[in-house]
């Protein structure tokens, strides 16, 4: 799910913003449009995919209870529900600045390279 959210956010936001900016600034501002679109897509990618990344990390790091031997989460939906109950909805976006600096450059470089090679 995390990989789907990353790709969905990155590709959809890039194409949408690029289409809008091309209509606004024209085809002459190709580099400006590509760079601005990729920066916007990087932000969208971080914001949309971080909740899934946080849940993935919690599931990967879970350890069995020493007394019962049971894992704290039964699956992705259970982890989402327990995380929201414990941390609130905004807790899903904890670590956003750090996450942006991790996925942002990846999104920008990927999108600019793909567009350049078309």
């Amino acid at each position: 799910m995390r990989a789907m959210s990353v790709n969905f956010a990155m590709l959809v936001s890039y194409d949408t913003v690029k289409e809008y900016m091309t209509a606004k600034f024209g085809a002459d501002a190709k580099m400006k449009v590509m760079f601005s679109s990729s920066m916007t897509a990087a932000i969208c990618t971080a914001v949309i995919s971080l909740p899934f990344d946080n849940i993935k990390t919690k599931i990967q790091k879970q350890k069995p209870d020493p007394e019962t031997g049971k894992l704290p989460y039964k699956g992705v939906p259970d982890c989402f529900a327990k995380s929201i109950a414990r941390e609130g909805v905004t807790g899903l976006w904890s670590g956003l600045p750090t996450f942006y600096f991790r996925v942002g450059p990846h999104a920008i470089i990927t999108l600019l390279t793909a567009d350049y090679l078309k």
Side-chain angles (χ1 to χ4, degrees):
M1 273 209 289
R2 180 198 169 272
M4 274 187 345
S5 67
V6 167
N7 289 313
F8 170 78
M10 184 169 54
L11 298 172
V12 171
S13 60
Y14 180 72
D15 285 340
T16 303
V17 172
K18 184 178 170 193
E19 187 177 294
Y20 171 79
M21 291 190 69
T22 300
K24 185 171 179 146
F25 297 112
D28 295 337
K30 185 176 180 178
M31 289 306 293
K32 178 181 179 180
V33 167
M34 286 172 50
F35 186 72
S36 299
S37 300
S38 67
M39 293 291 285
T40 304
I43 294 168
C44 292
T45 301
V47 169
I48 291 171
S49 65
L50 182 58
F52 297 102
D53 191 71
N54 279 340
I55 296 303
K56 175 194 70 102
T57 302
K58 287 177 183 178
I59 289 174
Q60 284 177 330
K61 289 187 169 191
Q62 68 180 334
K63 294 185 176 154
D65 184 281
E67 294 175 16
T68 64
K70 290 186 178 183
L71 293 172
Y73 307 115
K74 294 177 183 151
V76 173
D78 184 49
C79 188
F80 261 111
K82 287 180 179 175
S83 295
I84 290 171
R86 187 175 44 253
E87 304 164 17
V89 175
T90 57
L92 295 172
W93 285 274
S94 112
L96 182 61
T98 304
F99 188 70
Y100 171 77
F101 284 110
R102 190 176 103 205
V103 300
H106 162 73
I108 294 165
I109 291 167
T110 301
L111 293 167
L112 289 176
T113 301
D115 216 7
Y116 180 76
L117 297 174
K118 271 191 199 175

